[in-house]
Amino acid sequence: MNRDHIEHLRWLPLPPADFRAQIRLVDATDAPGRQLQRLAAHALGISQLERLADKIDRLRDEGRDLAPLTCFRLGLIGNGTLDFLVPALIVSAARHGIVLECVRGAYDQVLQEALDPFSAINAGKLDAVLVAVDYRALPLRECPGDPVAAAESVAATLDQLAMIRGALETNGGTTVILQTLVPPVESLFGNLDGMVPGSVQSLVAQINAGLLATSATRKEIILDVASLASTLGIAEWHSPAQWNMAKLPFADRFIPIYAEHVARILAAMRGKSRRCLILDLDNTVWGGIVGDDGLEGIKTAEGDTEGEAHLAVQRLAIALRSRGVVLAVSSKNEDVTARLPFREHPEMLLRENHITVFQANWNDKATNITAIAKELSLGLDAMVFLDDNPAERALVRQTLPDVAVPELPDDPAMYARVLGTAGYFEALAFSDDDMKRAQFYEGNARRVALQAQVADLDAYLASLDMQIVFEPFDKVGRARIAQLINKSNQFNLTTRRYSEAEVAATEVDPRAFTLQVRLADAVGDNGMICVIVCREASPCVWDVDTWLMSCRVLGRRVEQMVLREIIHHAREHGIDRLIGRFLPTGRNMMVRDHYAKLGFTMVDEAADGATTWSLDLPFETDAAPMTVTRKGFEMVLA
């Protein structure tokens, strides 16, 4: 995949010939959100982006139900003209499962918008603000050869960005996305430019390093435009003519790829990043067909052009697994034949222990992918399917539109690059739990196998020797808590979203009670599996603001144990009633009866299906066979 392929999003299929006609037909469908997402999942040009964005805007303004798309309000402020970005942002967001509304600040009024509590941006009740400034907007002062002045210039620039971010967070209560800076092409010293203190190249490099360092420590969200522009070519990125004519911050040909990168971040904020990579085998993981060519005939070795191409796919898959992406196999093969290279080929990097679910049979790929999702307790929208066969890719796209299926070029040398640049696994943070996620799902698959061997549920649960740990929110768990709050959609009673800063504020809120819950058992550690936020509705009533759980632990009576823990602390705080709410989203219907099953009484039901439930205390709930540990509550309970 060369620069042009990245620029034009060629991992996406080309739009159908009747694309315009299909846009017109969206109005008549019963599921316009799904149809919009399907149309957005193509490599679209500027005019196509504008047409589809117009349709999305109109349907949203009409109040049409665009499920399963999730609503998001994004503010845009910068020193350039940003209106031209909006259609591409709206369509790119739809591609990633979001119906986006953009609120634009005044042109080149970044500081004013941030500092004014009543500005359109701060008053807009936004989910995030993209601060799209470049080096031309900041107090960079060229001072070649003067390291003291250079350090002052860098500090002043970082301070200004911090002031903008802080003002937006304080005045608007929103999450801020900051861009790294793309350096100018022009230089003063040629090859020496980056090494001379005070040159623009040197100043920009130091500012970007400062932004990335601050992001790592404060868990801030960074849009790494500098890296994107470097990939595409900085000389191409900057268009002096378009800046002079219309103050476009970058060449308009890069609108689709820029918008795609922004949309990936928004999707990650909503927990929509993919979590599982499903691999075809023949001519994808290795060259050739193992059933025909035999173990010795497949291509997967250093020193062989084709073999090295497929080794690059294996190498990337292992790297993804190390950062928490679950690996699975879906192959049309005899099971024993498909496993043979993993077990016996000396040049294979991927081994059986890397694969969490191995589906090798003669079923169609869509059936196997569905089975993989079920075994992993993941939704189909968490899946990426890599297959060299265009017919198989088309079948899965048609049958399972929620599954991401990248287009692959004819040359297998490009397979790894396509997968690596398509952005399916965008991350906002990287925690210890992320590194262990593949192990969590491997353990879950073993539990499914164990349960199949035990007929009695009580005996199965007892055999797991479960150990549950309850703690209040704290700094150590903060990043993972925010991650779970923003990505959990199915077992989530209210799907309220909180940024990491808002989670931190909840930790010290005297009117809030919080739980982070971890679960381990005889098979392995499940990590953090539940997050609870209760808020004081009156002196004797707690409102369960947030109750979410990992689907990995369904069927193990964890809900009952969590309720027991809530009741324990509620009584300690003098609470005699719990109020629970279910807010339907289309994706969380599995927990519609959650409170009823726990013994709550429904006290209200709205026309949209939202329900309110009440539980009077004291109340006894069933205990599950597990060991309970409490940590960190000394400072919480009087």
Side-chain angles (χ1 to χ4, degrees):
M1 178 177 279
N2 57 26
R3 185 192 68 197
D4 288 341
H5 277 70
I6 296 173
E7 175 186 333
H8 297 294
L9 285 66
R10 292 302 190 214
W11 59 87
L12 299 172
L14 293 173
D18 62 342
F19 182 77
R20 296 179 67 175
Q22 290 196 29
I23 292 178
R24 290 194 295 269
L25 292 173
V26 171
D27 295 84
T29 182
D30 293 333
R34 286 197 174 277
Q35 182 69 354
L36 291 170
Q37 187 171 9
R38 187 184 69 80
L39 290 171
H42 293 92
L44 304 176
I46 297 297
S47 62
Q48 293 165 323
L49 290 167
E50 290 173 346
R51 288 191 184 94
L52 188 52
D54 286 343
K55 177 68 69 173
I56 294 171
D57 274 343
R58 186 171 64 76
L59 292 176
R60 187 196 66 232
D61 292 344
E62 290 175 356
R64 290 287 298 273
D65 181 4
L66 299 183
L69 302 183
T70 303
C71 294
F72 198 107
R73 286 173 57 81
L74 177 69
L76 297 174
I77 54 175
N79 61 302
T81 303
L82 302 179
D83 290 3
F84 73 113
L85 286 173
V86 172
L89 288 170
I90 290 171
V91 176
S92 300
R95 181 184 305 135
H96 289 273
I98 290 171
V99 56
L100 181 67
E101 182 179 357
C102 290
V103 177
R104 283 153 281 186
Y107 168 76
D108 199 17
Q109 299 289 301
V110 176
L111 271 173
Q112 294 89 329
E113 289 281 350
L115 295 172
D116 180 2
F118 304 104
S119 69
I121 293 297
N122 283 324
K125 297 182 180 180
L126 305 175
D127 296 295
V129 175
L130 173 61
V131 181
V133 297
D134 66 12
Y135 72 95
R136 288 166 289 215
L138 298 168
L140 288 177
R141 183 167 63 86
E142 284 188 84
C143 43
D146 188 340
V148 174
E152 291 173 349
S153 181
V154 169
T157 302
L158 290 173
D159 286 346
Q160 180 167 312
L161 289 171
M163 179 175 64
I164 292 168
R165 181 191 63 242
L168 290 168
E169 291 174 348
T170 300
N171 295 326
T174 188
T175 299
V176 178
I177 304 170
L178 288 177
Q179 293 187 165
T180 53
L181 308 181
V182 182
V185 176
E186 300 77 17
S187 67
L188 289 177
F189 298 94
N191 289 300
L192 194 64
D193 221 48
M195 294 175 277
V196 175
S199 71
V200 174
Q201 299 285 346
S202 174
L203 294 173
V204 168
Q206 291 179 67
I207 290 164
N208 285 340
L211 284 172
L212 294 173
T214 304
S215 171
T217 56
R218 286 197 50 182
K219 302 294 190 300
E220 292 169 348
I221 299 178
I222 295 292
L223 174 62
D224 197 356
V225 180
S227 177
L228 175 62
S230 178
T231 298
L232 297 168
I234 293 175
E236 299 294 325
W237 183 266
H238 288 301
S239 171
Q242 291 187 344
W243 173 259
N244 294 337
M245 178 177 62
K247 291 299 179 283
L248 300 188
F250 55 87
D252 61 3
R253 59 191 270 203
F254 296 120
I255 292 173
I257 186 63
Y258 176 91
E260 162 68 14
H261 276 252
V262 174
R264 292 174 187 177
I265 289 177
L266 305 186
M269 291 177 68
R270 285 290 185 258
K272 293 179 179 290
S273 295
R274 308 279 170 162
R275 284 175 272 174
C276 177
L277 173 61
I278 303 174
L279 297 163
D280 171 56
L281 297 181
D282 292 332
N283 289 314
T284 300
V285 168
W286 54 68
I289 301 173
V290 68
D292 294 338
D293 301 325
L295 186 66
E296 68 283 354
I298 63 172
K299 305 287 188 180
T300 176
E302 299 285 353
D304 177 89
T305 302
E306 185 178 356
E308 291 197 15
H310 294 286
L311 282 178
V313 173
Q314 296 182 38
R315 195 173 289 113
L316 178 56
I318 293 170
L320 287 169
R321 183 181 183 275
S322 71
R323 53 146 290 190
V325 175
V326 186
L327 302 184
V329 160
S330 176
S331 174
K332 286 186 176 178
N333 255 311
E334 295 293 342
D335 184 81
V336 66
T337 303
R339 293 178 187 269
L340 194 62
F342 290 88
R343 294 172 175 175
E344 298 187 16
H345 199 294
E347 302 292 338
M348 280 282 291
L349 300 177
L350 271 176
R351 296 295 176 181
E352 269 190 287
N353 64 293
H354 294 125
I355 308 300
T356 301
V357 181
F358 203 106
Q359 290 278 356
N361 50 46
W362 298 105
N363 296 333
D364 65 83
K365 296 294 179 71
T367 298
N368 276 344
I369 291 170
T370 302
I372 290 168
K374 183 177 181 180
E375 188 163 348
L376 293 173
S377 298
L378 286 172
L380 290 169
D381 58 357
M383 306 288 155
V384 176
F385 176 53
L386 194 72
D387 194 314
D388 70 293
N389 189 323
E392 298 285 10
R393 297 197 297 265
L395 171 68
V396 173
R397 286 196 193 104
Q398 181 66 31
T399 310
L400 304 175
D402 287 340
V403 176
V405 185
E407 274 297 280
L408 294 179
D410 294 333
D411 185 359
M414 295 292 105
Y415 289 2
R417 179 172 292 181
V418 169
L419 181 60
T421 57
Y424 297 119
F425 307 106
E426 185 80 24
L428 300 180
F430 186 50
S431 66
D432 289 342
D433 277 357
D434 290 321
M435 289 189 285
K436 297 173 183 176
R437 188 182 296 124
Q439 299 171 29
F440 296 159
Y441 284 104
E442 287 164 7
N444 206 55
R446 290 196 295 273
R447 292 180 193 96
V448 170
L450 176 62
Q451 186 172 8
Q453 300 169 15
V454 181
D456 180 70
L457 178 60
D458 289 333
Y460 163 67
L461 294 177
S463 72
L464 286 177
D465 188 23
M466 292 182 285
Q467 302 168 46
I468 194 165
V469 178
F470 296 104
E471 298 178 77
F473 287 6
D474 60 14
K475 185 176 180 180
V476 175
R478 188 182 301 160
R480 177 61 175 158
I481 291 165
Q483 187 182 56
L484 277 175
I485 286 174
N486 285 289
K487 80 175 186 180
S488 298
N489 295 301
Q490 293 178 283
F491 198 124
N492 193 332
L493 275 297
T494 57
T495 60
R496 294 188 176 108
R497 310 300 187 183
Y498 293 113
S499 68
E500 197 166 326
E502 290 169 325
V503 171
T506 305
E507 293 171 18
V508 296
D509 184 349
R511 297 172 61 87
F513 168 77
T514 63
L515 284 177
Q516 53 176 311
V517 186
R518 295 179 175 272
L519 185 70
D521 56 39
V523 175
D525 188 355
N526 293 274
M528 192 183 298
I529 51 89
C530 178
V531 170
I532 299 290
V533 177
C534 297
R535 298 191 185 276
E536 187 178 300
S538 69
C540 297
V541 178
W542 272 357
D543 191 326
V544 184
D545 171 277
T546 297
W547 187 330
L548 61 90
M549 288 177 55
S550 168
C551 292
R552 297 195 309 269
V553 299
L554 290 178
R556 290 196 246 170
R557 298 179 182 163
V558 176
E559 304 95 310
Q560 286 86 347
M561 295 302 291
V562 172
L563 178 58
R564 286 187 66 187
E565 189 69 9
I566 294 172
I567 291 172
H568 168 80
H569 292 280
R571 299 305 308 279
E572 292 281 347
H573 284 77
I575 301 299
D576 56 26
R577 179 178 298 173
L578 299 177
I579 300 296
R581 305 180 196 280
F582 167 69
L583 306 180
T585 65
R587 297 192 63 191
N588 66 349
M589 298 308 290
M590 66 180 295
V591 292
R592 177 177 49 192
D593 300 323
H594 170 76
Y595 286 116
K597 292 176 181 177
L598 291 176
F600 284 65
T601 301
M602 186 165 64
V603 295
D604 184 62
E605 182 172 11
D608 63 358
T611 53
T612 302
W613 303 77
S614 176
L615 183 70
D616 290 330
L617 306 183
F619 180 84
E620 295 294 331
T621 186
D622 293 337
M626 58 183 73
T627 302
V628 177
T629 301
R630 297 188 181 99
K631 296 181 178 180
F633 286 106
E634 302 78 22
M635 65 191 81
V636 177
L637 299 181

